[in-house]
C-alpha cells in the first residue's frame, strides 16, 4: 500500500518506519523541519520519502494521522481533499498539557474527526499502544503469539486496510466494532499512556500487560 504519514513524531515516525520495512510505500510528512522527514525516510531503509501533507495524501491508500489534538485542523488544512481516503487515527483528544481527554463518554476523538472530514473513512487504531514498544513488537512478529491491538470503525473496507497495517507491524488485529467504540478505547489508551510514563505513580489497572523488550525475571 501507499501510506501517507501525517505527523512524523514518536508514533508517526516509528509506525511509518515499520510500514516501510514491511514493504509499503511511505511518505513522511508534517514535522517542524523538513530535514527530520528526510532523515526518517533515509533511516527507514525501505521505500520511503519525505513530502508535504498534500503529497502524503495524494494517491494514498491509507493515511496515518499522528498529531497532537491541537494540530488536527492545521494538518488537515494542508492535505487537500480527503474524500474517500482511509484515515487511520491514533491521535487522542488530549488537552494542551496532556493531562486529560477533551472528549469522552458521549463522543470520541475518532468520531469528532469523522465529522471533521465526513467524506473520509476514519478508523481508530494504534492509540492504545505506547510508541516505545513498537519496534520490539515488530521484531517479535514471527512468534506464534502476537499481542492484540484493538481497532474500530464504521467502514468495512477501511477496517481491512487498518487490520493489514496492524498485522504488518506485528500485532494481532482485534476488531472492537463501530467507530463509537473509540469512546471506550480512548480513555483506556490514556490509562495505558499514564501507566507507561508514570510507572508506580500511575493508575492501577486490572488488566494483564505484557512488556516487550524487558527481560522477564
Ligand atoms: N507517543 C505515544 O506513545 C502515543 C501513544 C498513543 C497515542 N498517541 C497519540 O498520537 C498522537 C501523536 O503523538 P506523538 O507522541 O507521536 O506526538 P509527537 O511526537 O509530538 O509528534 C507530533 C508530530 O507533529 C509535528 N508537529 C507539531 N507541531 C507542528 C507544527 N507546528 N508544524 C509542523 N509539524 C508539527 C511534530 O513535529 P516534530 O517532529 O518536529 O516535533 C511531530 O512530528 C497524539 O495525538 C497522541 O495522543 C501517542
Amino acid at each position: 500500500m501507499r501510506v501517507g504519514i501525517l505527523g512524523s513524531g514518536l508514533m508517526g515516525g516509528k509506525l511509518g518506519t515499520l510500514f516501510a520495512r514491511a514493504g509499503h510505500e511511505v511518505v513522511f510528512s508534517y514535522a517542524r523541519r523538513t530535514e527530520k522527514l528526510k532523515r526518517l525516510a533515509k533511516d527507514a531503509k525501505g521505500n520511503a520519502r519525505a513530502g508535504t501533507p498534500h503529497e502524503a495524501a495524494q494517491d494514498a491508500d491509507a493515511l496515518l494521522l499522528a498529531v497532537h489534538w491541537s494540530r488536527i485542523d492545521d494538518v488537515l488544512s494542508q492535505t487537500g481533499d480527503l474524500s474517500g481516503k482511509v484515515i487511520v487515527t491514533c491521535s487522542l483528544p488530549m488537552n494542551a498539557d496532556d493531562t486529560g481527554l477533551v472528549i469522552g463518554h458521549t463522543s470520541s476523538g475518532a468520531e469528532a474527526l469523522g465529522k471533521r472530514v465526513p467524506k473520509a473513512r476514519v478508523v481508530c487504531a494504534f492509540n492504545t499502544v505506547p510508541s516505545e514498544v513498537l519496534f520490539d513488537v515488530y521484531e517479535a512478529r514471527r512468534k506464534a503469539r502476537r499481542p492484540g491491538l484493538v481497532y474500530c470503525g464504521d467502514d468495512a473496507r477501511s477496517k481491512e486496510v487498518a487490520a493489514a497495517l496492524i498485522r504488518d507491524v506485528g500485532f494481532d488485529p482485534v476488531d472492537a466494532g463501530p467507530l463509537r467504540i473509540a469512546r471506550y478505547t480512548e480513555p483506556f489508551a490514556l490509562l495505558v499512556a499514564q501507566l507507561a510514563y508514570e510507572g508506580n505513580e500511575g493508575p492501577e489497572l486490572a488488566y494483564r500487560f505484557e512488556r516487550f523488550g524487558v527481560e522477564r525475571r
Side-chain angles (χ1 to χ4, degrees):
M1 282 188 271
R2 182 161 176 186
V3 187
I5 306 295
L6 302 174
S8 299
L10 288 172
M11 289 298 274
K14 288 187 174 123
L15 283 170
T17 298
L18 296 179
F19 294 152
R21 289 186 187 165
H24 299 292
E25 186 186 337
V26 170
V27 181
F28 288 101
S29 81
Y30 203 71
R32 274 167 269 241
R33 292 167 57 242
T34 312
E35 293 72 39
K36 179 184 178 180
L37 299 172
K38 286 185 181 158
R39 182 174 49 75
L40 277 170
K42 187 165 166 263
D43 292 350
K45 297 191 174 71
N47 188 353
R49 65 184 174 85
T52 62
H54 185 76
E55 287 163 347
Q58 232 172 9
D59 305 324
D61 299 300
L63 285 162
L64 177 78
L65 182 64
V67 295
H68 191 274
W69 194 245
S70 59
R71 306 302 315 171
I72 297 250
D73 278 343
D74 188 52
V75 71
L76 292 179
S77 72
Q78 298 178 41
T79 55
D81 183 20
L82 294 179
S83 297
K85 294 284 181 203
V86 174
I87 303 179
V88 179
T89 177
C90 71
S91 291
L92 289 170
M94 303 294 293
N95 60 11
D97 59 3
D98 284 331
T99 52
L101 297 169
V102 292
I103 300 176
H105 311 299
T106 55
S107 189
S108 60
E111 288 166 282
L113 177 67
K115 288 194 179 120
R116 170 74 176 70
V117 275
K119 290 185 177 156
R121 301 185 289 175
V122 174
V123 188
C124 180
F126 293 113
N127 59 3
T128 54
V129 59
S131 66
E132 283 77 5
V133 306
L134 290 170
F135 277 81
D136 289 324
V137 170
Y138 182 75
E139 289 308 320
R141 68 193 180 284
R142 294 201 177 84
K143 290 198 175 148
R145 283 187 63 203
R146 294 166 149 230
L149 194 134
V150 293
Y151 66 107
C152 59
D154 292 331
D155 176 76
R157 168 75 194 120
S158 53
K159 283 176 88 169
E160 278 173 26
V161 169
L165 291 174
I166 291 168
R167 209 172 283 114
D168 287 344
V169 174
F171 293 94
D172 191 14
V174 179
D175 185 350
L179 198 63
R180 66 172 183 277
I181 296 299
R183 294 173 197 186
Y184 311 106
T185 57
E186 287 176 1
F188 177 77
L190 174 60
L191 287 176
V192 171
Q194 288 175 335
L195 194 72
Y197 297 112
E198 295 172 26
N200 289 340
E201 305 304 314
E204 291 187 15
L205 295 182
Y207 284 88
R208 178 172 172 272
F209 283 91
E210 194 129 353
R211 277 195 187 198
F212 283 80
V214 177
E215 242 173 63
R216 276 170 190 278
R217 299 205 175 148

